[in-house]
Amino acid sequence: MKKGQIYEGIIEAVDFPNKGIVYLPEEEKYVTVKMGIPGQKVRFSVNKVRQGRAEGRVLEVLETAPNEVKAGCPHFGQCGGCTYQNLPYEEQLNLKEQQIKKMMDHAVDGDYIWDGIKESPAKNAYRNKMEFSFGDEYKDGPLALGMHKRGSFHDIVNVEECCIVDEDFRMIRKCTLDYAKETGLPYYHRMRHTGVFRHLLVRKAARTGEILIDLVTTGSAPSFEPWARQLLELPLDGRISGILHTKNDSVADVVKDEGTIILYGQDYFYEELLGLKFKITPFSFFQTNSLGAEVLYETTRRYIGDTKDKVIFDLYSGTGTIAQILAPVAKEVVGVEIVEEAVRAAKENAELNGLRNCAFIAGDVLKVIDGLEETPELIVLDPPRDGVNPKALEKIIGFGVEKMVYIACKPTSLVRDLEMLQGRGYRVEKIACIDLFPGTYHVECVVLMSRVEK
């Protein structure tokens, strides 16, 4: 088998994350291909052969899978955002559950309770945040505003009918693209480091309907007051709380705040979860599926159990959602988060909700926990995608708490961290998955662990 060869085969299974397995009897070899579902017959090109392992890229689906359906989104297959929209939702859940259960069975020492996968209350229009990118539809083509094309770092798909957001998002995107075209200003070219338009950030609360809109451009951009006026005239279902203009001259292709101007209203909005109110700013972390987040946090609260008169550490606490949901049934909750803006928001939210037993500290968990005066009796970990720094995890284990709950947005990072946790005396009791991202391969995991060695 050589790079560049073309083969045909049936995807027998799909491992996380979206790794299709095709067996080629003529080569007596398995090949991994992405962007497929079990049962599809595909034509693929081999693009990597290393140490006996081969990877391929799907060129064409020759035969659909028996359970395959037509995707509800017209951009599916072209846009890189979703992977499983061509499966009925129940089949998506089954596939994700099988993938994660297989991973956890290999990662967990001994028996544990598999708590299954819990569905998202909303299957479509569930996202409360989108970052649309400016670019061209193809090289030197017309201006576009949307999502990156599947497999491309440059081409942008105009996602006029994206179905993971509601109509308000779609109207705001179209209005912004039309205005950008009217100005005649170019998009920011990532390779040449020239141009103006970079990103459009839209956030909308599921419970309150409040909307925050932020246009991100280079610092050389003019005033965008006319754009703000056009947005305010849109027949939106929700209510615009603020329209912002953020300047970003960083060469990195990320949304970075190097100065924000308020064109209308305010630079925050409110969302409600499980009876609590949260103030959210443009760049603060908040789960992108509000209704699904309630399922996630209810599961976490159930796993933690009786917390009366207990001190809880919420490490990697973000804007303090978990800490505040636990606070009413705990003695004290201490949150640690490295993003200072998120910590300020957490403190404001705790005050807004009348919670007096929450404390939030800004800093790196690795450095901060050595100086904490309280001793935790329970720890909640909700780290970023890369998981917990091994040195920080050593210190966390050193507290010797009887119970620990780990929330993971990237199961592969969880698997790595479980190896150390189990090696240092913790046993996995229970694992559940929560589907916060219908149509995609992403899934959240919640793990309950208990200490078996003193």
Side-chain angles (χ1 to χ4, degrees), residues 11 39 69 88 109 257 326 359:
I11 298 176
V69 296
D109 299 333
D257 183 6
L326 296 178

Side-chain angles (χ1 to χ4, degrees), residues 374-392:
E374 296 283 359
T375 300
E377 294 158 283
L378 190 148
I379 292 176
V380 177
L381 293 171
D382 189 6
R385 294 186 61 79
D386 290 338
V388 184
N389 180 300
K391 291 182 180 179

Side-chain angles (χ1 to χ4, degrees), residues 16 383-387 406 409-414 416 437 441-442:
F16 183 88
R385 294 186 61 79
D386 290 338
Y406 191 129
C409 58
K410 188 178 180 182
T412 48
S413 297
L414 169 63
R416 183 204 66 209
F437 316 98
Y441 63 77
H442 299 289

Side-chain angles (χ1 to χ4, degrees), residues 46-215:
V46 176
N47 56 12
K48 185 183 293 185
V49 180
R50 185 180 299 169
Q51 297 178 343
R53 297 181 179 181
E55 296 180 8
R57 178 173 62 89
V58 173
L59 302 174
E60 181 184 4
V61 176
L62 301 174
E63 295 177 14
T64 59
N67 58 350
E68 191 170 348
V69 296
K70 184 178 179 181
C73 179
H75 311 295
F76 180 75
Q78 185 183 17
C79 167
C82 295
T83 48
Y84 294 146
Q85 284 192 0
N86 53 341
L87 281 175
Y89 186 62
E90 285 301 319
E91 294 295 331
Q92 293 181 35
L93 291 178
N94 290 337
L95 179 57
K96 291 182 182 183
E97 182 171 12
Q98 291 171 14
Q99 291 174 343
I100 305 305
K101 177 72 162 56
K102 180 180 177 182
M103 291 176 65
M104 295 303 112
D105 284 349
H106 281 92
V108 175
D109 299 333
D111 296 330
Y112 70 99
I113 297 172
W114 176 253
D115 205 13
I117 187 167
K118 305 180 190 310
E119 66 181 57
S120 170
K123 283 65 176 179
N124 293 306
Y126 62 84
R127 284 192 67 95
N128 58 34
K129 175 187 176 184
M130 286 293 280
E131 290 179 6
F132 298 111
S133 297
F134 283 95
D136 44 19
E137 293 186 41
Y138 49 87
K139 188 175 181 181
D140 299 325
L143 184 65
L145 176 59
M147 306 296 289
H148 285 276
K149 187 177 180 181
R150 180 176 289 184
S152 172
F153 290 105
H154 301 285
D155 299 343
I156 299 296
V157 180
N158 274 318
V159 286
E160 295 99 334
E161 299 178 60
C162 174
C163 67
I164 61 175
V165 295
D166 69 17
E167 184 62 22
D168 284 355
F169 283 82
R170 294 189 281 267
M171 281 194 283
I172 292 166
R173 187 210 66 86
K174 183 179 184 305
C175 175
T176 304
L177 177 59
D178 290 344
Y179 177 79
K181 288 179 177 178
E182 289 173 11
T183 66
L185 297 171
Y187 73 92
Y188 177 78
H189 198 286
R190 293 187 301 164
M191 303 301 291
R192 302 187 194 121
H193 307 306
T194 59
V196 175
F197 292 106
R198 301 192 67 157
H199 298 93
L200 173 68
L201 174 64
V202 184
R203 305 188 77 153
K204 180 181 178 182
R207 297 291 188 193
T208 67
E210 295 182 10
I211 302 170
L212 195 63
I213 307 167
D214 193 358
L215 182 62

